[in-house]
Amino acid sequence: MFQLKTKFPENFLWGGATAANQLEGGSNVGGKGLSLADVYTFDESIPKEHWSDQWHLMTHKQIEEAQNPDSDKYYPKRHGVDFYHHYKEDIALFAEMGYKAFRMSISWTRIFPNGDELDPNEEGLAFYDRVFDELNKYGIEPIVTLSHYEMPLHLALKYGGWVNRKVIDFFVRYATTVFERYQNRVKYWMTFNEINCVNHHQYVSLGVIEENHPNIEQAKFQGAHHQFVASALATKVCKEINPEAKVGCMISYQVLVPYSCDPDDVFATVEKERINSLFFSDVQAKGYYPAYTAKMLAEKNVIIRTEPEDEQIMRKYPVDYVSFSYYMSGAVCAHPEKLEGVEGNLLTGGVKNPYLPSSDWGWQVDPKGLRTALNNLYDRYQKPIIVAENGLGAIDVVEEGDLINDDYRISYLRDHIKQIKKAITDGVDVIGYTSWGCIDIVSAGTGQMSKRYGFIYVDQDDMGRGTKRRIRKKSFNWYKNVIATNGEQLE
Ligand code: BG6
């Protein structure tokens, strides 16, 4: 009855994760339309601290400029690392590492270039046929995100993004198209990447162009509600097409701890963790709004407009599994004024935790926080969990003989994987681990190429210059051995 688990399960989904807009390139081929990500620029002349601003603030002027074919600005997410033309080589490298799973996203604008067409773009669908066939050839399970910060730009411009209820129908049409097409090749789906990001980045997550919205809090939560409904409707359709398929939610989970044992810090942490992340997984995993929603919305002066059928559809179609990205933890202080702040994924920041080191980008490294995250989510939902992203963004140096000695990355990943193993012993049902950016890709936040996460180096700089040659890093062989030993050999 009480069976202690001390090992990773036999069929554990070891692999890596990417997103179409950071990986694929080929934005001007195959009939692809422009996505929100395609208008994101990288410009070294702008001060570093502003590189991530476009995640939440994008103006009509910037978008107009991006639509001008003569613009001399560099748009890194149109180029990615050209997986579009290198997918065979890249998947062969994943297979060489022994990948069991590959998390990727479908670019919505390859399938529906503007988002509101009635018929899909066959060339876009055919591209993913080829990708899934290639994965299948090596027995690699695709885990597919439907929306990873790359909704059609047209839906943002014409409809105002997710704030408009009509976008639900466009999303469901897109989801239905890909569920039908790939029903025999994809079992694991995720609807929205880091759905809690709507709270932090209204542009990339919701397609809201700030200048249009005098009441941004209202826009964020109305948009979130539409995504919840869209996700539940997509889950319904997915199950009708393939009852064996699994649909998951995905949040960015920055585990929070109180800065001190001051009761004010403790409760501030409970509330911040809800609004930052758990509210979103609560709704999607349980299928209904948690009891604390009313107060949370009242404090923000937000009134969500719902339709009578929303509640029922959300209750009937919660997700099958829970997934999350984990890069760092955070500390919460009720009175942070005199404390040092920190950088963080999703610009969430917080106060500096004196017990933790930080990455070169100021993200606080806390492997034990991953064990806490897994326990928290499993205690709360009792659903299988995939660690959908985890990794270290670092500068890599190519030494003589194409050597890249990324011991720092090995150390980061090893320490985190050890904590997953401990969580499994704690009783958590972890079914997969896909580290972030298994191959170097463009950074979501900064647009840099030099912020690298991969086991495979790509010869390309921040402005897209380079041969795009793929080079195995030291971590490549290390991870290969981790997978071969099913997580037993981590040193
Ligand atoms: C996650 C995103 O928040 O963090 C990824 O889902 C992103 O798309 C990753 O790449 C790492 O962030 P960054 O800004 O270092 O690329």
Side-chain angles (χ1 to χ4, degrees):
M1 190 177 173
F2 301 108
Q3 210 187 359
L4 189 67
K5 294 187 187 128
T6 54
K7 294 189 168 170
F8 285 91
E10 274 312 310
N11 49 359
F12 192 74
L13 295 167
W14 292 102
T18 56
N21 72 87
Q22 296 168 255
L23 172 77
E24 277 179 14
S27 69
N28 56 353
V29 289
K32 182 184 174 306
L34 278 185
S35 77
L36 297 182
D38 291 325
V39 302
Y40 192 113
T41 53
F42 178 74
D43 183 349
E44 275 167 317
S45 66
I46 295 172
K48 269 187 182 162
E49 57 274 24
H50 292 298
W51 285 355
S52 301
D53 287 359
Q54 296 162 87
W55 258 34
H56 53 111
L57 283 175
M58 184 69 77
T59 63
H60 282 282
K61 190 162 172 275
Q62 284 170 299
I63 290 172
E64 259 167 47
E65 174 155 24
Q67 288 172 311
N68 175 358
D70 298 327
S71 167
D72 56 3
K73 289 212 180 319
Y74 179 58
Y75 296 95
K77 292 171 185 175
R78 295 183 188 184
H79 303 277
V81 293
D82 202 21
F83 176 81
Y84 190 82
H85 295 106
H86 288 254
Y87 70 94
K88 286 195 177 176
E89 177 188 354
D90 294 343
I91 292 172
L93 286 165
F94 302 155
E96 190 182 323
M97 274 188 280
Y99 273 25
K100 312 286 181 217
F102 175 51
R103 176 173 175 241
M104 52 177 273
S105 66
I106 291 181
S107 172
W108 186 347
T109 52
R110 276 198 196 289
I111 312 301
F112 288 95
N114 284 326
D116 58 358
E117 298 90 340
L118 292 178
D119 297 313
N121 169 34
E122 177 53 35
E123 264 193 276
L125 288 167
F127 169 64
Y128 294 106
D129 279 336
R130 297 195 290 277
V131 170
F132 294 138
D133 284 349
E134 203 63 19
L135 290 168
N136 189 262
K137 185 166 118 189
Y138 298 105
I140 300 174
E141 184 86 56
I143 301 176
V144 180
T145 317
L146 291 172
S147 181
H148 193 132
Y149 305 145
E150 52 216 355
M151 83 182 292
L153 179 64
H154 175 76
L155 296 185
L157 293 173
K158 182 164 177 197
Y159 300 91
W162 276 99
V163 180
N164 188 330
R165 198 174 167 98
K166 279 195 186 133
V167 174
I168 298 179
D169 297 338
F170 302 137
F171 179 82
V172 174
R173 184 181 301 151
Y174 154 60
T176 307
T177 304
V178 297
F179 291 154
E180 272 170 358
R181 177 80 167 216
Y182 309 121
Q183 57 181 295
N184 298 321
R185 281 174 279 189
V186 181
K187 177 176 170 196
Y188 291 96
W189 297 93
M190 292 177 189
T191 46
F192 293 93
N193 180 65
E194 297 183 333
I195 190 164
N196 53 320
C197 225
V198 300
N199 202 11
H200 310 293
H201 306 300
Q202 56 272 22
Y203 174 68
V204 287
S205 295
L206 290 170
V208 167
I209 300 160
E210 171 114 340
E211 48 194 349
N212 282 347
H213 279 278
N215 187 350
I216 200 65
E217 289 299 314
Q218 174 68 32
K220 285 179 188 174
F221 286 89
Q222 189 61 55
H225 177 71
H226 291 156
Q227 291 194 350
F228 293 145
V229 175
S231 181
L233 285 168
T235 305
K236 172 179 185 287
V237 174
C238 188
K239 300 281 174 185
E240 284 163 3
I241 294 171
N242 177 9
E244 298 301 308
K246 305 283 175 207
V247 183
C249 63
M250 199 289 196
I251 59 164
S252 160
Y253 190 16
Q254 184 178 345
V255 168
L256 297 178
V257 294
Y259 181 75
S260 76
C261 49
D262 175 344
D264 283 347
D265 287 359
V266 174
F267 199 70
T269 307
V270 171
E271 291 206 302
K272 185 126 200 241
E273 205 165 47
R274 284 174 176 167
I275 184 72
N276 269 8
S277 350
L278 297 177
F279 166 69
F280 298 84
S281 45
D282 280 352
V283 175
Q284 291 197 288
K286 295 178 175 172
Y288 54 88
Y289 280 105
Y292 58 80
T293 310
K295 178 192 164 241
M296 200 178 79
L297 297 182
E299 280 174 357
K300 291 181 174 293
N301 233 344
V302 166
I303 298 169
I304 298 179
R305 288 182 306 277
T306 63
E307 294 297 325
E309 65 272 20
D310 293 356
E311 200 181 336
Q312 198 202 356
I313 197 82
M314 284 162 63
R315 273 193 192 269
K316 204 160 170 205
Y317 296 98
V319 292
D320 300 306
Y321 67 94
V322 171
S323 78
F324 67 106
S325 62
Y326 179 80
Y327 294 90
M328 57 186 295
S329 63
V332 178
C333 179
H335 310 287
E337 301 77 25
K338 289 195 184 131
L339 295 170
E340 193 184 336
V342 283
E343 293 298 316
N345 189 18
L346 316 175
L347 312 175
T348 44
V351 297
K352 190 164 171 48
N353 180 336
Y355 296 96
L356 300 177
S358 298
S359 77
D360 292 346
W361 273 262
W363 295 16
Q364 297 196 117
V365 178
D366 181 9
K368 289 180 183 167
L370 178 54
R371 181 182 184 181
T372 307
L374 285 162
N375 275 279
N376 285 354
L377 294 176
Y378 196 62
D379 284 355
R380 216 164 165 123
Y381 310 124
Q382 299 283 300
K383 296 199 179 203
I385 302 183
I386 294 178
V387 180
E389 291 182 27
N390 170 236
L392 179 72
I395 303 269
D396 291 331
V397 178
V398 185
E399 295 168 27
E400 184 79 25
D402 272 355
L403 295 179
I404 298 150
N405 290 307
D406 57 342
D407 292 294
Y408 37 88
R409 181 167 295 109
I410 294 175
S411 153
Y412 177 102
L413 294 171
R414 181 188 51 223
D415 292 350
H416 284 78
I417 293 172
K418 278 184 183 168
Q419 297 300 323
I420 298 177
K421 202 171 172 191
K422 288 187 180 180
I424 289 173
T425 304
D426 294 334
V428 180
D429 184 14
V430 193
I431 60 169
Y433 174 76
T434 52
S435 66
W436 179 246
C438 40
I439 179 168
D440 293 345
I441 53 180
V442 172
S443 158
T446 67
Q448 288 169 287
M449 188 62 215
S450 50
K451 188 180 188 190
R452 297 173 183 273
Y453 286 86
F455 300 115
I456 301 161
Y457 185 91
V458 178
D459 176 30
Q460 177 171 286
D461 70 10
D462 287 341
M463 296 304 290
R465 292 167 298 221
T467 61
K468 299 195 170 48
R469 194 160 63 91
R470 277 55 173 158
I471 308 169
R472 294 168 186 79
K473 302 181 192 176
K474 186 174 177 182
S475 55
F476 182 100
N477 285 321
W478 169 80
Y479 196 47
K480 181 176 175 180
N481 192 47
V482 170
I483 299 176
T485 60
N486 199 26
E488 285 303 299
Q489 270 177 34
L490 294 171
E491 299 306 329

